[in-house]
Amino acid sequence: MYELRDKDFIFIFTGPNGAGRKTVAQMSGETLGMKKVISYTTRPPRSAEFDGQDYHFVTRDAFLEAERNNEFVEVIEMDGNHYGVKEKDVAEMLQQYGAIYLVLNRFGAESLKKLYGNKAVRIFIHADLKTIVKREEDRGDSPELIQRYTSHYEEEMAYKDQCEHVFENIDLAHTVFDLTKTLDDNYLHRNLIDKD
């Protein structure tokens, strides 16, 4: 396994579906010059998702083959679909960039925390259930899909207290500003200029 250097950090964005963790992660990553490690999944893409950008969408057989070859640092099965992060991807991105991020549910976040210890920093992004449902309706998700996404809300929220940082995502710009400042001050020390 890749030996982490002092400057290497793995930031894991987690929290309930629909809280905006992917958007917050992407904007924070761009601001801080961090690259995203893309997970693999056997589930089909959602309407606004693209292969190689949101996930690597693979067949069940391809996923299971990679799992048999011990290519993943973490694997979970949720709602009948497999998700995993490849160790090679984490190692290559860290070597190249020093600080990387992933967007994972609580199981994935926990797996990486156990594996990488204090180099894995969990960032919990949340919003209240009513806000999440409204966002998913605005996005055009069907009532069945919204029900499926929100069915794990309480379990995801229960993970909040175990994470290193917690941000409520009501106003996206404020969330991203506060989060990038926190990560820069505590870990990256890139001395971002406060433009306010």
Side-chain angles (χ1 to χ4, degrees):
M1 202 168 92
Y2 173 73
E3 195 66 40
L4 273 79
R5 302 162 297 186
D6 284 351
K7 68 182 179 85
D8 290 344
F9 282 102
I10 301 166
F11 296 105
I12 304 157
F13 290 81
T14 191
N17 249 322
R21 58 192 178 165
K22 193 162 70 175
T23 307
V24 169
Q26 192 178 345
M27 291 174 77
S28 303
E30 283 169 11
T31 304
L32 293 165
M34 297 188 303
K35 296 294 179 207
K36 177 185 180 185
V37 176
I38 300 166
S39 302
Y40 292 75
T41 184
T42 58
R43 79 159 169 75
R46 294 180 189 143
S47 58
E49 289 180 329
F50 298 97
D51 186 46
Q53 182 182 313
D54 299 287
Y55 284 97
H56 295 294
F57 295 99
V58 296
T59 64
R60 190 179 174 86
D61 288 345
F63 190 98
L64 296 174
E65 173 71 16
E67 191 175 4
R68 276 193 297 276
N69 294 332
N70 295 315
E71 293 176 35
F72 294 110
V73 285
E74 70 92 26
V75 170
I76 63 147
E77 188 178 344
M78 199 160 187
D79 298 329
N81 298 305
H82 296 274
Y83 297 85
V85 174
K86 287 195 177 178
E87 199 270 334
K88 173 179 73 76
D89 295 350
V90 172
E92 284 174 5
M93 297 282 275
L94 278 171
Q95 276 176 316
Q96 206 172 342
Y97 301 105
I100 58 173
Y101 73 91
L102 300 100
V103 181
L104 301 171
N105 69 14
R106 66 192 184 283
F107 301 115
E110 197 55 32
S111 295
L112 263 67
K113 184 67 182 176
K114 284 189 177 119
L115 206 55
Y116 295 106
N118 64 355
K119 290 291 180 180
V121 179
R122 295 163 298 181
I123 301 154
F124 193 91
I125 306 294
H126 69 98
D128 64 85
L129 190 54
K130 209 164 84 177
T131 301
I132 286 176
V133 169
K134 169 105 175 67
R135 285 176 186 167
E136 290 178 341
E137 285 170 349
D138 291 347
R139 198 168 62 187
D141 292 344
S142 69
E144 299 78 41
L145 207 52
I146 293 171
Q147 169 56 39
R148 193 163 79 223
Y149 292 162
T150 56
S151 65
H152 301 287
Y153 180 80
E154 293 304 330
E155 298 151 53
E156 292 288 352
M157 285 302 290
Y159 189 60
K160 184 173 73 168
D161 297 338
Q162 292 173 57
C163 295
E164 285 71 29
H165 301 282
V166 177
F167 295 90
E168 186 174 15
N169 184 25
I170 299 302
D171 179 301
L172 182 61
H174 280 104
T175 305
V176 171
F177 178 82
D178 292 346
L179 196 147
T180 51
K181 187 164 174 20
T182 299
L183 297 190
D184 193 49
D185 290 352
N186 292 292
Y187 307 97
L188 301 171
H189 311 295
R190 299 197 173 147
N191 301 318
L192 297 176
I193 298 160
D194 188 348
K195 294 183 176 78
D196 278 355

